[in-house]
């Protein structure tokens, strides 16, 4: 599609001269050719996207997504995963190495990069820290970075060996690599089904205490300080983690963190019905933790929000709670969850579009005349039904499937391509 005109949308781009203004944006052959205060556009030969009542910003970037490439394509392949991402407003996603084989060498990184080439949604592999994600031996981090990996993590397996984590931080620092920590002490968390607290006691289920997370956050903060290296924590979920990271930032430690959108709107009280779609890792915590996470977002301790999109086949979820796999699909529900959590449009853009790119050292795309168009158009008021017809993922493991949600992505533009949600 050569020409696209977004009309009468409020521009959200902190620092931009037209930030907060209602504008028309004309995109010609993939580039922004005009940004002007909203006026009549009858003289323009272009596909018109009505932005009245909506916000337009740089496309969202998800720092924590799971596809199934390579080896687990029955969960999610690149085509379906990027379709779900585009429908959720994301023009870029970082894909974790929770695959079979894991993304732990140049070969898997190259496979994912080449498979996703030409897509509207940019797909960035995150390479494993350790070979086979077994936590014993460092993978070839530098080779993976040269092939296209943007950061390193063992995915949903927390690195238990402090010495290996320390070496990973020190080694990656030499080539400006970023280590991502999924904080969980297995010796404390072992055998859990949900958050440890009053609700787990009431339901008679094994609980994972906040301590399992905060212990690992504390350890990796010490290691990052010792090695003078940056570290990023993904999917933090506890009040204690927020406080530890806040203190570390005040000391000048190079630390950033993100939170999964579902941990901002649900608590462990949801588990009372034993719906396995509420079984996630880290688990849903208490209202006290949710309040601390929201405060951490507002004050800037928490830098970004992620989907933690984790698709599973029905046989892994439509089972008893205690044997169900952990995780939910989330690419299409991040915006509605953040609207429900009470974030402003500017906060949403900061946590979903700007900060994620800055964390991995990418330049934030500009919204200026002459720049390549990388845009999302979204409404904070529009409602839509998330069901089998609107769900773009292969999987259906979401606790809000079948519900009416508030907060809708109208369109995304990237690489000269347009996807609209009618």
């Amino acid at each position: 599609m050569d020409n696209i005109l977004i009309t009468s949308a409020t521009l959200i781009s902190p620092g931009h001269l037209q930030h907060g203004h209602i504008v028309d944006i004309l995109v010609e052959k993939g580039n922004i050719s005009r940004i002007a205060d909203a006026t009549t556009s009858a003289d323009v030969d272009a596909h018109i996207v009505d932005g009245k009542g909506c916000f337009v910003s740089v496309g969202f970037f998800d720092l924590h997504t799971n596809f199934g490439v390579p080896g687990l394509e029955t969960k999610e392949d690149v085509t379906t995963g990027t379709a779900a991402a585009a429908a959720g407003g994301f023009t870029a996603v970082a894909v974790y190495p929770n695959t079979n084989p894991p993304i732990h060498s140049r070969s898997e990184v190259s496979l994912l990069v080449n498979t996703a080439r030409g897509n509207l949604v940019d797909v960035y592999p995150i390479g494993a820290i350790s070979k086979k994600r077994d936590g014993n031996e460092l993978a070839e981090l530098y080779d993976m970075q040269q092939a296209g990996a943007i950061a390193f993590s063992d995915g949903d397996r927390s690195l238990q060996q402090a010495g290996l984590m320390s070496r990973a931080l020190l080694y990656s620092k030499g080539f400006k690599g970023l280590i991502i920590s999924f904080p969980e002490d297995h010796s404390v968390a072992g055998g859990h089904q949900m958050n440890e607290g009053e609700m787990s006691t009431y339901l008679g289920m094994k609980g994972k205490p906040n301590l399992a997370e905060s212990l690992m956050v504390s350890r990796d903060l010490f290691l990052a300080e010792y090695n003078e290296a940056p570290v990023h924590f993904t999917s933090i979920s506890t009040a204690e983690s927020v406080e530890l990271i806040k203190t570390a930032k005040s000391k000048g430690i190079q630390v950033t963190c993100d939170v999964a959108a579902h941990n901002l709107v649900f608590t462990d009280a949801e588990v009372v019905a034993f719906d396995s779609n509420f079984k996630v890792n880290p688990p849903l915590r208490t209202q006290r933790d949710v309040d601390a996470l929201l405060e951490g977002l507002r004050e800037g301790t928490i830098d970004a929000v992620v989907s933690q999109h984790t698709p599973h086949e029905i046989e892994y979820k439509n089972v008893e709670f205690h044997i169900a796999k952990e995780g939910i699909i989330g690419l299409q529900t991040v915006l509605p969850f953040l609207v429900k959590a009470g974030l402003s449009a500017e906060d949403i853009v900061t946590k979903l579009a700007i900060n994620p790119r800055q964390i991995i050292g990418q330049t934030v795309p500009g919204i200026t005349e002459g720049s390549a168009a990388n845009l999302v158009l979204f409404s904070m008021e529009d409602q839509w039904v998330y069901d089998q017809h609107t769900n773009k993922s292969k999987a259906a493991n979401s606790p809000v499937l079948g519900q009416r949600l508030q907060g809708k992505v109208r369109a995304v533009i990237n690489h000269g391509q347009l996807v609209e949600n009618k």
Side-chain angles (χ1 to χ4, degrees):
M1 190 173 295
D2 285 343
N3 300 333
I4 305 163
L5 179 65
I6 298 174
T7 63
S8 304
T10 301
L11 178 64
I12 302 295
S13 181
H16 196 288
L17 288 175
Q18 290 167 292
H19 172 62
H21 290 208
I22 297 176
V23 299
D24 289 351
I25 300 179
L26 178 62
V27 178
E28 296 183 296
K29 296 182 179 179
N31 293 323
I32 297 172
S33 63
R34 190 180 76 193
I35 304 174
D37 289 342
T39 58
T40 178
S41 305
D43 61 327
V44 177
D45 181 20
H47 175 80
I48 295 177
V49 180
D50 183 8
K52 187 176 182 180
C54 296
F55 300 95
V56 63
S57 76
V58 173
F60 301 153
F61 190 121
D62 188 14
L63 276 177
H64 190 149
T65 302
N66 291 290
F67 290 171
V69 181
L72 299 175
E73 289 86 356
T74 54
K75 295 182 184 292
E76 196 84 279
D77 58 36
V78 169
T79 300
T80 57
T82 54
F90 295 95
T91 56
V93 293
V95 178
Y96 270 57
N98 305 325
T99 52
N100 184 25
I103 304 171
H104 65 164
S105 74
R106 176 187 291 268
S107 298
E108 294 83 26
V109 171
S110 298
L111 172 66
L112 190 53
V113 168
N114 291 329
T115 302
R117 184 169 283 119
N119 206 292
L120 181 151
V121 179
D122 296 312
V123 177
Y124 297 102
I126 291 180
I129 298 173
S130 65
K131 292 181 179 179
K132 300 181 182 179
R133 295 198 302 135
D134 61 10
N136 293 318
E137 183 181 356
L138 274 184
E140 295 293 342
L141 307 187
Y142 181 71
D143 275 0
M144 286 191 285
Q145 187 198 56
Q146 293 301 295
I150 60 168
F152 307 99
S153 168
D154 270 0
D156 58 0
R157 296 181 185 175
S158 180
L159 205 61
Q160 300 300 295
Q161 286 190 29
L164 187 64
M165 175 59 90
S166 184
R167 290 191 292 277
L169 288 165
L170 182 60
Y171 176 52
S172 61
K173 182 179 74 168
F175 55 86
K176 293 182 169 56
L178 177 66
I179 297 296
I180 298 177
S181 170
F182 179 70
E184 178 180 283
D185 187 308
H186 291 172
S187 65
V188 177
H192 79 280
Q193 300 297 328
M194 60 176 295
N195 178 60
E196 181 182 271
E198 292 181 6
M199 186 56 65
S200 65
T201 302
Y202 171 70
L203 296 175
M205 300 207 324
K206 292 181 179 179
K208 176 193 290 188
N210 287 19
L211 181 65
E213 178 175 300
S214 56
L215 271 177
M216 196 60 79
V217 168
S218 180
R219 185 202 76 174
D220 289 347
L221 285 173
F222 276 118
L223 293 176
E225 182 178 26
Y226 177 77
N227 290 289
E228 298 180 345
V231 66
H232 177 79
F233 292 100
T234 187
S235 309
I236 66 166
S237 65
T238 70
E240 292 84 353
S241 295
V242 174
E243 190 60 33
L244 285 166
I245 293 169
K246 180 179 180 179
T247 301
K249 285 189 171 187
S250 70
K251 293 171 60 179
I253 296 174
Q254 301 174 65
V255 56
T256 52
C257 65
D258 65 55
V259 60
H262 50 262
N263 281 103
L264 299 172
V265 293
F266 298 122
T267 69
D268 58 356
E270 306 288 349
V271 182
V272 71
F274 294 104
D275 180 352
S276 64
N277 287 319
F278 284 112
K279 187 176 183 180
V280 291
N281 191 28
L284 301 177
R285 303 291 188 179
T286 65
Q287 189 61 51
R288 167 181 168 269
D289 294 302
V290 171
D291 291 343
L293 293 170
L294 290 171
E295 179 59 26
L297 279 172
R298 283 189 289 266
E299 68 185 13
T301 299
I302 300 176
D303 303 276
V305 177
V306 298
S307 73
Q308 207 191 37
H309 180 79
T310 307
H312 287 302
E313 300 91 338
I314 189 171
E315 58 265 29
Y316 292 107
K317 276 297 194 179
N318 191 22
V319 292
E320 294 85 352
F321 191 94
H322 71 281
I323 61 173
K325 291 284 188 180
E326 296 162 326
I328 66 172
I329 55 173
L331 281 166
Q332 291 180 248
T333 55
V334 172
L335 177 62
F337 285 173
L338 295 189
V339 171
K340 184 177 181 180
L343 271 68
S344 67
E346 186 168 336
D347 286 340
I348 288 172
V349 171
T350 299
K351 304 300 183 182
L352 286 185
I354 298 173
N355 287 359
R357 291 179 168 93
Q358 292 177 340
I359 287 168
I360 61 167
Q362 274 198 357
T363 300
V364 179
I367 305 181
T368 57
E369 293 180 357
S371 64
N374 186 328
L375 303 169
V376 59
L377 180 71
F378 64 97
S379 167
M380 304 274 284
E381 302 297 332
D382 283 0
Q383 296 187 1
W384 59 289
V385 176
Y386 185 40
D387 58 18
Q388 60 181 342
H389 303 293
T390 54
N391 178 31
K392 304 299 182 183
S393 172
K394 275 188 179 182
N397 53 302
S398 169
V400 295
L401 203 67
Q403 296 183 21
R404 180 172 292 275
L405 307 176
Q406 181 175 333
K408 180 179 180 180
V409 172
R410 291 274 193 92
V412 288
I413 301 172
N414 194 27
H415 301 310
Q417 301 174 57
L418 167 70
V419 168
E420 290 184 87
N421 289 331
K422 298 295 187 179

